[in-house]
Amino acid sequence: MTTGTFITLEGGEGAGKTTLLLHITSWLIQRQIKFITTREPGGTRLAEQVRNILLHQQELPVTPQAELLLMFAARAQNLAETIRPALAAGRVVLCDRFTDASFAYQGGGRKLGSAMVAQLEAVVHPDLQPDLTLLLDLPAATGMARKHADQPDRIESEQAAFFQRVRDAYLQRAAEAPGRIKIINAEQTEKKVASSAIEHIEKLFKSK
Ligand code: TMP
């Protein structure tokens, strides 16, 4: 591999991204493949501060548009500081959420629509898309029941209809980019979810 490989994980709340990430990283370690992991919003000092503002400072009013712009501000920084340098160094970059999450949560959940998100995508990373996106899909209600956080963050505190729109927008994205976005049924066992994800990754490596 001369240039790196960009893999993103997506899905609604409680879909099991964190667990899957562990399976993928141990698979990469076993094969001595060099990788980094990052997350969005987050992944750099600035972007982690944006994350804290957006998710945990619930007393701060944030408009849907401001939320979208801050997601992309964090993303611009993460791209510059973390993602692009690692790809340039030939690494695998595993990113826990990326721009598809903005289409799903701000475009769908917050009803801003996909055109506005696409405009920002065209500004922030016109030249870069993930090589592979693993979308962990499950019914919104199942995800929320799995999550049942004691202290939900600002987005987790949203209503069921919001998460239904998030799921619908993710599935719409997957229908528009079937080559890149692979839907994995997140209601399967942890083992099955992991093996299906790894299959997609192996296929990607073979095609490169
Ligand atoms: P998580 O990484 O623990 O799932 O939390 C991130 C939260 O931020 C999650 O609720 C989804 C949300 N989010 C957006 O709303 N838009 C985005 O562009 C990204 C990256 C995340």
Side-chain angles (χ1 to χ4, degrees), residues 95-108:
C95 192
D96 186 346
R97 297 193 187 281
F98 191 61
T99 296
D100 293 306
S102 299
F103 279 96
Y105 282 80
Q106 282 68 51

Side-chain angles (χ1 to χ4, degrees), residues 9-187:
L9 300 189
E10 298 283 358
E13 311 297 316
K17 281 185 294 101
T18 311
T19 310
L20 177 58
L21 197 67
L22 291 175
H23 282 285
I24 298 174
T25 54
S26 53
W27 185 86
L28 291 169
I29 290 166
Q30 276 168 21
R31 275 151 198 82
Q32 299 184 317
I33 296 170
K34 288 187 174 156
F35 69 94
I36 64 145
T37 60
T38 182
R39 66 172 181 181
E40 295 208 343
T44 73
R45 283 174 62 201
L46 175 81
E48 289 292 333
Q49 289 196 31
V50 172
R51 180 185 181 93
N52 185 40
I53 290 170
L54 284 178
L55 299 183
H56 303 302
Q57 302 206 6
Q58 309 218 19
E59 72 289 357
L60 271 183
V62 182
T63 69
Q65 229 180 67
E67 184 177 85
L68 176 66
L69 291 166
L70 285 167
M71 290 293 178
F72 270 96
R75 181 162 301 134
Q77 195 66 32
N78 199 28
L79 277 162
E81 258 185 62
T82 317
I83 297 174
R84 288 187 196 278
L87 290 175
R91 298 275 147 91
V92 171
V93 174
L94 276 178
C95 192
D96 186 346
R97 297 193 187 281
F98 191 61
T99 296
D100 293 306
S102 299
F103 279 96
Y105 282 80
Q106 282 68 51
R110 300 279 189 230
K111 300 186 180 170
L112 290 176
S114 57
M116 193 186 287
V117 185
Q119 279 181 318
L120 291 170
E121 177 183 44
V123 172
V124 174
H125 57 95
D127 53 337
L128 179 72
Q129 282 294 329
D131 296 295
L132 172 67
T133 296
L134 299 166
L135 170 57
L136 296 184
D137 177 60
L138 83 174
T142 313
M144 289 315 291
R146 276 194 194 173
K147 194 100 191 180
H148 63 76
D150 291 339
Q151 288 195 311
D153 66 34
R154 208 167 50 80
I155 291 178
E156 287 165 354
S157 308
E158 280 300 328
Q159 303 300 308
F162 175 92
F163 295 108
Q164 187 58 50
R165 289 195 297 278
V166 169
R167 185 188 190 198
D168 292 345
Y170 266 135
L171 292 175
Q172 174 71 32
R173 294 285 293 160
E176 287 164 6
R180 170 176 70 86
I181 305 179
K182 302 299 178 191
I183 301 172
I184 296 176
N185 174 3
E187 285 188 293

